[in-house]
Amino acid sequence: MGISDIADLLGVEGLNAYWAVLEAANATKPSDWTVRRLREELIRATGNLDALVACYAEDLSSPQRYVGIARLLLTEHRTAEAIEWLERGSAGIDRWDHLAGALADLLVELYTETGRTEDVIALWHARFRSDGSVETYLGLREVILAADPGRWPEQRAEAWSLLRRRAEDASLWGAGNAYVRVLLLEDEDEAAWQAIGRYRCDPQTQLAVTDRRSATHPAEALAIYLPIIEAAVAQTSTTGYERAADLLVTLSGVFARAGRDFEAEVARLKAVHSRKRNFLSALRQRGL
């Protein structure tokens, strides 16, 4: 049961008295979440949107608060004010992480609805510069191609340059993966192949690149595949053994194209790891 369910019973005097109690509590503990929630609930029951916005604005400690204010304003189609609040929130964001994602998404939506294309592009630029992720790269590419495809080649080159610089920074975990994944998305297979030898990438990214490389350069692909198999076996876990066996069973064609004996490699692995019964079992289950 909320305050709106008993507002008629309390009447004006009762609601005023309740508000006075909440105001006193807020003065004593302004950061108390329960008091803030109750104040917002009471104002919402009165239907005073401006007062509710003002109450929300007392705590602007997170991007979600700005989003909450914007959504309140949108209930009365006050789009311009909603955008202003979201822009205020975005001005204080140095890093567009997942916490700021809802604010950015809503601001993009409203910019799009109001025809502010350049602002949409600028916002995607800010998000991409902040996190250098595949997702924000794709968002930036989509809005530029929709607005003016002729701008994309130059913007793409700048985006790749940023991703490459991030990949060179050893402190940015995952930056190498993002750069290589973007190259794959753009069908820059040769550049992606060179990149996995130069930048730190996880096994999944290495495999994604190597899978493409295996069609035309099978011997080079095996130089990546086989160490990944050995590393998985070295984990001495059921998951590692199954991962190694799953990868190995797909490589017979790559061995054939490289002019190498697949059965001999399987026999070698069995001999080297003869004491790892679970690994041998994983191989047998896959017909190896």
Side-chain angles (χ1 to χ4, degrees), residues 78-88 90 104 106-125 143-144 147 151:
R78 292 160 64 172
T79 303
E81 293 174 72
I83 290 175
E84 288 177 6
W85 274 101
L86 292 172
E87 289 176 336
R88 285 177 59 182
S90 68
L106 183 54
L107 192 50
V108 164
E109 178 184 330
L110 297 181
Y111 278 158
T112 301
E113 288 180 1
T114 53
R116 295 173 59 173
T117 302
E118 290 303 316
D119 288 322
V120 173
I121 293 173
L123 183 53
W124 275 112
H125 266 299
V143 297
I144 292 178
R151 293 167 59 178

Side-chain angles (χ1 to χ4, degrees), residues 24-267:
N26 185 59
T28 303
K29 293 183 178 180
S31 61
D32 189 293
W33 183 87
T34 300
V35 173
R36 181 182 303 122
R37 179 181 60 79
L38 291 173
R39 291 173 74 239
E40 291 173 0
E41 180 187 41
L42 178 55
I43 296 171
R44 186 177 287 106
T46 68
N48 189 332
L49 180 61
D50 289 325
L52 186 56
V53 168
C55 187
Y56 266 59
E58 292 175 5
D59 173 23
L60 297 174
S61 59
S62 72
Q64 290 91 327
R65 298 294 292 181
Y66 291 93
V67 172
I69 291 172
R71 292 200 180 282
L72 287 175
L73 292 166
L74 289 173
T75 62
E76 293 193 0
H77 308 290
R78 292 160 64 172
T79 303
E81 293 174 72
I83 290 175
E84 288 177 6
W85 274 101
L86 292 172
E87 289 176 336
R88 285 177 59 182
S90 68
I93 295 174
D94 296 321
R95 184 171 181 270
W96 287 92
D97 56 17
H98 67 283
L99 294 176
L103 187 152
D105 290 341
L106 183 54
L107 192 50
V108 164
E109 178 184 330
L110 297 181
Y111 278 158
T112 301
E113 288 180 1
T114 53
R116 295 173 59 173
T117 302
E118 290 303 316
D119 288 322
V120 173
I121 293 173
L123 183 53
W124 275 112
H125 266 299
R127 297 179 73 179
F128 176 66
R129 286 194 299 269
S130 173
D131 70 7
S133 69
V134 175
E135 292 74 19
T136 53
Y137 175 86
L138 290 175
L140 180 62
R141 184 178 71 170
E142 180 181 353
V143 297
I144 292 178
L145 287 176
D148 183 2
R151 293 167 59 178
W152 179 237
E154 180 180 353
Q155 295 291 316
R156 179 179 59 193
E158 292 180 4
W160 290 3
S161 178
L162 181 144
L163 290 170
R164 188 165 52 251
R165 291 195 303 272
R166 288 175 58 88
E168 291 167 353
D169 187 342
S171 69
L172 295 176
W173 182 257
N177 295 328
Y179 179 42
V180 171
R181 291 285 181 176
V182 163
L183 291 174
L184 289 179
L185 284 169
E186 298 287 6
D187 294 324
E188 295 288 336
D189 294 355
E190 181 62 33
W193 175 255
Q194 297 298 325
I196 63 168
R198 186 174 301 125
Y199 307 117
R200 182 175 58 189
C201 297
D202 60 27
Q204 291 76 19
T205 299
Q206 292 178 353
L207 283 174
V209 176
T210 305
D211 286 344
R212 293 200 188 181
R213 189 73 172 180
S214 65
T216 55
H217 298 77
E220 292 181 3
L222 288 175
I224 299 295
Y225 284 133
L226 296 180
I228 289 177
I229 290 174
E230 291 287 3
V233 175
Q235 294 176 9
T236 62
S237 67
T238 299
T239 300
Y241 295 149
E242 291 182 348
R243 185 181 301 117
D246 284 338
L247 176 55
L248 184 61
V249 78
T250 67
L251 298 183
S252 60
V254 181
F255 270 85
R257 292 194 298 277
R260 293 182 56 178
D261 190 332
F262 176 68
E263 297 299 332
E265 178 60 22
V266 173

